[in-house]
Amino acid sequence: MPQTAAIISGIQRMVLYETRARLFLVGSNHAETKHRVLKIDRTEPKDLVIIDDKHVYNQHEVRELLGRLDLGNRTKMGQKGSSGLSRAVLAYGIVGPAGFKCCLTLFYFFFLCATVVYGLRNEPYYKYVWNGKLFERVKDIVHPDWLMYIIHGFCGQSKLLIYGRPVHITLIARRSSKFAGTRFLKRGANCEGDVANEVETEQIVHDASIMSFTAGSYSSYVQVRGSVPLYWSQDISTMMPKPPIRLDQADPYANIAALHFDQMLQRFGSPIIILNLVKKREKRKHEKILSEELYPAVINLNQFLPPDHRIDYIAWDMARYTKSKLCNVLDRLSMIAENVVKRTGFFINRSDFYCHTLRPDDRWRDVGGSVTSTGRLQTGVLRTNCVDCLDRTNTAQFMVGKCALAYQLYALGMIDKPKLQFDTDCVRLFEELYEDHGDTLSLQYGGSQLVHRVKTYRKIAPWTQHSKDIMQTLSRYYSNAFSDADRQDAINLFLQVYQPSDGKPHLWELPTDFYLHQKSTMALQHNRRSYTFWWSEGVLSYLPVPYDEVACEETMKTVKVKRMNQFDESVDIYTEFFKPYELTSFDETFCISKTNSARELMPKTLGVDPSPFTVRKPEETGKSVLGKSSKEETVLQRKTAASAPPPPSEEAISSTSEDDSEEDRDDEGPVSQRSTPIKLLTESGESSRTQEEIQPQQVMKEPYGHNLAECPAEEDLLIYERFAHLGENQHTVEKTERINLANIISLEPVSRFKDDSIYAVSLPQVDRRSHEMFDSHVMTGQGQVRALCREDMMMYREYVKNRYM
């Protein structure tokens, strides 16, 4: 049966060596068994001269090569003490012809059939690649393994434990490199339909109980945010917190919106659902200007589309609902999210479980998308926007993601119905991910963290947090007014929107970068697009499936197929990353340090339901991911709520901020571990207590779950006291002093070792057969499978006969 899995890039780390005339870049895989060498001429001041011999060296060959280069580049023949080849820097990838950075590789897949591997490699989607322009000069010269395409955005991952079953939740945000910039300097869209602050967010749910990529189960859901696709901007020369919105150019036939939604139909298919969160009612027109222009544009475009594939437009004044005491903002968003997820569906790589047929759920029956023999595909996407696409947008995306997460977990067989409730460990963990996601995107585009958070719209945030809104507003205002211009110049230079050359003015001398991003406006259009058939040719014939996935010829031209050995290191993930023959510190690995629902969120008291889908009271929740326990936060809220004035209204906050107020994070460190006082014995036999005066019932009940003082047996208490005495002596006895356990405690060791104590332990004797089994296990992990002997085959046949026949 054919299988699919990810292929690892051939170059994972690089070392740069230099001589007086050349630069030598040596790239290798993690195991350092395969090497490539790139030679760069440094004598040419203007031209970039790169030589790639396309040869794969082994470790011995690359050492000989470096030795010859070192010897041949010394100033005098036979000179000792000075090196002709010096090591300059260690890197993990090439950003461009003159830079290094560790980031995202190409997209690799392979198809495995019998013993032959067919590797399939295609280039990434360049809209979300930030160093694509930098690679244009070297892409056809060097081997593709040297190229490392990078993205800009956010990546976060957490582990959800469902009764011990690990589930990894990953959140990835990809920022568009088209019409990219900072908050007030990039608004609306350019002449090609690319909008400002366009971000594609994908949430991936993986059943980590099966580590194999081919045999594992995983699901994905995608949504998009971006500025309103119109010609509009804000004048920042007046130094106002909320500059007036102005429409820069009339577009009666919605040409710019047509270009933008044509891109979305090609990439995501249908339906395209717009969730517009800008204000509808204002004393002075501000945000309303955008709604009054966007809605007629969508109506104009829809009249030419087939009814089944028309653009859905949902306008909802989220800020106005937030001010109302009678309306629940998140309940309304939950209804919208349910409708959206049912229409678009989601991706999953496995067919429905039979339990869905035995215990059907009404919500599961009408889930949209494309159903295949191997699973489901998402068709269409939700496009959310407010004015900045930051605060309100992030909360709305969280609610849609929460609804999609419920369907993903249900499809993977983790829960019995596609519904998740607030105040559960699962939703708290997911909320932390989305708040980190929102903070990162807000810093990149707006210059500060989020202002309004999920707790703000739930109206459970403590009033003390509102005082930090002023600082965030000032931070965002300062960044927009004083530092965004330099950031915009840096973005334009890195993305090669501006390319310096002789005779051209410097980047900082340009009065505006308008014509750098609007190049099509400087020339007459010879092939004007139709106002009625505004979509690209062939798009409608494949809807609701996206055109880019099934019929795009340009995409298929970039696909390259290579035949490989199934035992090659580039397809063996285990031997590439997991090295059993090397010492590994588990505390430093990412899988140990990332957020864990059982460790960070679940209550540590006995008798609670360990399920992450159980609703918990605030005082029952465990430590917050942000560093402070939820119990401490609740106590702080109760202490301050009685004597505190009511929180400031959202209208007061929005007068100084574009996107409402802020629910900032606590900066305090994690809660210190609670020490457990133990009743110890002094030399005279009298009991001594620790400095903390705590009742014995509390001391003994917290760590053991029951009160030891209630035990009537004196023998049990004597054993406990001797054990405490033994622990006390562990820190007082010097290492040079000979320890005699018989003088301390008269208990026989329960293990089978001759010498077993807290100071020493005898090594177990391992027989030859066990050694052979361990060596065989290590060889199997490295891809070297030994031939089975006759006894193994007979044992396996007997097992199959007893198990399945």
Side-chain angles (χ1 to χ4, degrees):
M1 180 179 179
Q3 300 178 2
T4 60
I7 292 183
I8 305 170
S9 175
I11 295 178
Q12 295 292 330
R13 63 190 301 270
M14 302 177 185
V15 180
L16 182 67
Y17 298 90
E18 60 178 355
T19 64
R20 294 189 176 185
R22 302 286 187 273
L23 295 173
F24 295 92
L25 189 63
V26 180
S28 65
N29 57 354
H30 276 296
E32 297 186 2
T33 57
K34 295 182 180 180
H35 303 264
R36 292 183 181 272
V37 179
L38 205 63
K39 183 172 70 174
I40 306 173
D41 190 351
R42 61 191 304 183
T43 60
E44 292 291 337
K46 295 183 179 180
D47 296 335
L48 180 64
V49 181
I50 299 179
I51 300 176
D52 183 9
D53 57 8
K54 308 292 179 66
H55 179 68
V56 179
Y57 299 84
N58 58 32
Q59 195 170 22
H60 178 70
E61 291 173 343
V62 76
R63 285 180 178 177
E64 285 188 347
L65 175 63
L66 295 177
R68 292 195 302 268
L69 291 174
D70 181 31
L71 184 62
N73 286 277
R74 291 179 180 176
T75 55
K76 295 181 180 180
M77 293 299 296
Q79 180 181 4
K80 296 183 179 180
S82 62
S83 176
L85 183 71
S86 60
R87 176 171 172 169
V89 69
L90 173 67
Y92 295 91
I94 302 178
V95 172
F100 301 90
K101 189 177 178 67
C102 173
C103 204
L104 199 66
T105 60
L106 292 167
F107 298 99
Y108 295 97
F109 301 93
F110 79 88
F111 297 91
L112 175 62
C113 183
T115 59
V116 179
V117 174
Y118 294 95
L120 179 65
R121 180 193 316 182
N122 68 309
E123 294 184 359
Y125 190 63
Y126 277 95
K127 184 174 185 179
Y128 300 104
V129 173
W130 279 61
N131 61 337
K133 289 285 186 179
L134 298 176
F135 278 152
E136 286 184 352
R137 297 181 60 185
V138 299
K139 186 171 61 174
D140 299 329
I141 300 176
V142 301
H143 191 273
D145 280 351
W146 288 105
L147 307 180
M148 186 167 289
Y149 297 102
I150 66 172
I151 63 173
H152 184 41
F154 169 81
C155 182
Q157 189 176 47
S158 297
K159 178 189 289 187
L160 181 69
L161 282 179
I162 306 176
Y163 293 106
R165 186 177 184 180
V167 177
H168 292 171
I169 301 178
T170 308
L171 202 62
I172 302 176
R174 299 175 279 267
R175 299 182 64 89
S176 173
S177 61
K178 308 294 184 182
F179 202 53
T182 56
R183 184 185 179 201
F184 285 123
L185 298 180
K186 287 294 165 285
R187 294 296 214 189
N190 62 5
C191 57
E192 298 178 354
D194 302 307
V195 298
N197 196 28
E198 183 172 3
V199 184
E200 181 182 284
T201 300
E202 180 178 8
Q203 63 185 52
I204 304 171
V205 181
H206 173 224
D207 183 1
S209 58
I210 302 177
M211 296 302 296
S212 171
F213 182 79
T214 58
S217 301
Y218 43 89
S219 175
S220 170
Y221 183 76
V222 177
Q223 49 184 322
V224 178
R225 68 170 67 180
S227 187
V228 179
L230 303 171
Y231 273 132
W232 67 279
S233 63
Q234 288 179 272
D235 185 11
I236 61 174
S237 60
T238 57
M239 300 292 289
M240 297 175 58
K242 295 177 64 175
I245 294 176
R246 64 186 183 188
L247 298 175
D248 299 328
Q249 183 177 336
D251 191 10
Y253 299 102
N255 182 52
I256 298 302
L259 290 172
H260 176 69
F261 291 116
D262 182 29
Q263 293 180 11
M264 299 195 70
L265 286 174
Q266 291 187 54
R267 178 159 176 79
F268 302 107
S270 67
I272 302 298
I273 305 175
I274 303 173
L275 178 57
N276 187 12
L277 302 175
V278 302
K279 298 177 181 178
K280 291 182 179 180
R281 298 182 181 180
E282 296 175 304
K283 297 180 180 179
R284 177 178 58 88
K285 277 190 178 183
H286 183 67
E287 298 182 10
K288 187 179 179 181
I289 297 175
L290 302 176
S291 295
E292 291 179 346
E293 192 74 12
L294 178 61
Y295 180 67
V298 174
I299 295 298
N300 180 55
L301 298 178
N302 273 341
Q303 63 181 330
F304 307 111
L305 282 174
D308 294 338
H309 306 302
R310 287 177 179 171
I311 302 171
D312 283 358
Y313 181 85
I314 303 174
W316 185 54
D317 191 342
M318 185 172 176
R320 179 169 172 266
Y321 269 74
T322 305
K323 301 173 187 177
S324 175
K325 298 181 180 180
L326 302 177
C327 301
N328 191 313
V329 176
L330 298 188
D331 284 349
R332 175 61 176 167
L333 283 175
S334 180
M335 296 173 59
I336 296 175
E338 188 79 20
N339 178 52
V340 167
V341 175
K342 282 187 176 181
R343 294 206 56 194
T344 61
F346 56 93
F347 167 81
I348 187 171
N349 72 324
R350 59 162 300 126
S351 56
D352 294 348
F353 284 92
Y354 186 63
C355 63
H356 298 159
T357 304
L358 295 177
R359 297 186 299 272
D361 190 277
D362 294 337
R363 289 181 289 262
W364 180 250
R365 295 175 180 175
D366 53 352
V367 175
S370 177
V371 181
T372 65
S373 58
T374 58
R376 292 174 176 266
L377 297 176
Q378 178 180 346
T379 58
V381 73
L382 172 69
R383 185 195 188 279
T384 310
N385 74 269
C386 49
V387 177
D388 293 330
C389 302
L390 297 178
D391 300 40
R392 286 172 279 180
T393 298
N394 196 75
T395 300
Q397 284 193 326
F398 161 74
M399 290 301 298
V400 176
K402 171 178 169 290
C403 179
L405 178 64
Y407 280 93
Q408 290 175 287
L409 293 174
Y410 179 79
L412 292 173
M414 306 292 181
I415 52 180
D416 57 352
K417 58 181 179 180
K419 189 71 174 178
L420 294 176
Q421 296 181 346
F422 277 104
D423 299 321
T424 61
D425 297 343
C426 175
V427 175
R428 288 184 62 208
L429 180 143
F430 192 64
E431 181 181 338
E432 297 287 353
L433 269 180
Y434 255 95
E435 289 197 350
D436 289 345
H437 162 267
D439 283 336
T440 304
L441 299 181
S442 183
L443 282 169
Q444 294 170 0
Y445 183 64
S448 71
Q449 293 182 337
L450 287 175
V451 179
H452 265 178
R453 300 174 182 269
V454 178
K455 290 184 177 64
T456 307
Y457 291 102
R458 291 185 68 190
K459 299 181 180 179
I460 63 172
W463 71 270
T464 53
Q465 299 296 329
H466 290 271
S467 61
K468 297 183 181 179
D469 298 343
I470 300 177
M471 296 303 298
Q472 287 296 335
T473 302
L474 292 177
S475 174
R476 185 175 292 185
Y477 175 74
Y478 175 85
S479 179
N480 299 153
F482 300 103
S483 63
D484 277 2
D486 294 334
R487 292 173 57 201
Q488 185 67 56
D489 289 343
I491 292 173
N492 292 338
L493 186 62
F494 183 82
L495 293 177
Q496 297 285 285
V497 176
Y498 171 84
Q499 299 184 11
S501 61
D502 295 337
K504 291 177 59 176
H506 296 293
L507 180 59
W508 56 87
E509 295 176 350
L510 298 177
T512 178
D513 64 347
F514 177 82
Y515 295 102
L516 298 177
H517 295 269
Q518 308 278 357
K519 294 182 179 179
S520 299
T521 59
M522 302 178 63
L524 296 176
Q525 297 182 2
H526 299 285
N527 299 324
R528 185 179 295 273
R529 292 174 62 96
S530 172
Y531 293 135
T532 56
F533 297 97
W534 50 267
W535 51 88
S536 299
E537 183 179 358
V539 171
L540 294 186
S541 58
Y542 293 97
L543 292 179
V545 180
Y547 177 75
D548 285 352
E549 294 186 5
V550 292
C552 185
E553 296 181 359
E554 295 298 327
T555 302
M556 298 304 296
K557 289 179 181 179
T558 62
V559 176
K560 298 179 181 179
V561 180
K562 181 181 178 181
R563 182 169 178 171
M564 307 175 68
N565 190 319
Q566 65 172 340
F567 299 111
D568 192 280
E569 290 180 350
S570 59
V571 300
D572 190 349
I573 299 179
Y574 185 87
T575 57
E576 185 68 23
F577 288 98
F578 299 96
K579 303 177 182 179
Y581 49 86
E582 291 186 2
L583 180 63
T584 303
S585 175
F586 288 100
D587 293 336
E588 297 177 358
T589 58
F590 174 73
C591 60
I592 299 297
S593 60
K594 67 183 178 183
T595 305
N596 187 308
S597 65
R599 181 179 67 241
E600 311 289 348
L601 303 175
M602 194 178 72
K604 302 301 184 289
T605 57
L606 297 176
V608 299
D609 188 357
S611 173
F613 309 112
T614 301
V615 178
R616 310 190 193 279
K617 298 179 181 179
E619 58 270 13
E620 295 177 351
T621 54
K623 185 178 68 174
S624 172
V625 180
L626 299 180
K628 175 182 283 190
S629 66
S630 300
K631 186 175 181 179
E632 292 183 37
E633 295 176 356
T634 305
V635 172
L636 178 62
Q637 295 177 25
R638 291 178 177 176
K639 286 183 179 179
T640 57
S643 60
S649 64
E650 184 177 334
E651 185 67 26
I653 298 299
S654 62
S655 63
T656 58
S657 172
E658 183 70 26
D659 254 4
D660 309 328
S661 73
E662 174 204 9
E663 174 63 25
D664 206 358
R665 298 185 174 190
D666 296 318
D667 296 327
E668 299 182 10
V671 180
S672 60
Q673 296 181 354
R674 181 171 54 247
S675 60
T676 305
I678 302 177
K679 185 178 181 181
L680 303 178
L681 295 179
T682 61
E683 296 181 357
S684 60
E686 297 179 357
S687 63
S688 62
R689 302 184 60 86
T690 58
Q691 296 179 357
E692 299 184 18
E693 294 296 328
I694 303 179
Q695 297 180 1
Q697 291 83 357
Q698 297 177 351
V699 174
M700 299 178 181
K701 191 170 184 178
E702 286 186 1
Y704 300 105
H706 57 86
N707 188 7
L708 295 180
E710 297 177 356
C711 300
E714 296 182 359
E715 182 181 357
D716 295 337
L717 292 178
L718 180 61
I719 294 176
Y720 176 75
E721 292 173 354
R722 288 178 176 176
F723 175 77
H725 194 190
L726 180 65
E728 182 183 25
N729 291 337
Q730 178 182 359
H731 304 284
T732 58
V733 179
E734 297 181 358
K735 295 183 179 179
T736 57
E737 183 180 350
R738 187 174 180 179
I739 304 301
N740 189 357
L741 290 178
N743 298 332
I744 301 176
I745 184 171
S746 57
L747 293 177
E748 296 181 358
V750 297
S751 64
R752 63 182 180 89
F753 304 125
K754 298 179 180 179
D755 186 11
D756 186 14
S757 67
I758 61 174
Y759 303 101
V761 62
S762 61
L763 296 177
Q765 298 297 325
V766 182
D767 56 11
R768 182 180 178 183
R769 176 61 176 169
S770 300
H771 271 293
E772 292 178 353
M773 292 178 62
F774 178 76
D775 295 338
S776 175
H777 173 72
V778 174
M779 292 176 61
T780 304
Q782 296 177 351
Q784 305 174 10
V785 183
R786 66 174 180 85
L788 297 177
C789 61
R790 185 174 181 273
E791 290 78 6
D792 294 336
M793 294 298 298
M794 295 297 296
M795 184 183 300
Y796 177 73
R797 291 177 180 175
E798 188 68 21
Y799 167 76
V800 173
K801 180 180 178 181
N802 296 334
R803 180 68 175 83
Y804 299 103
M805 296 182 181

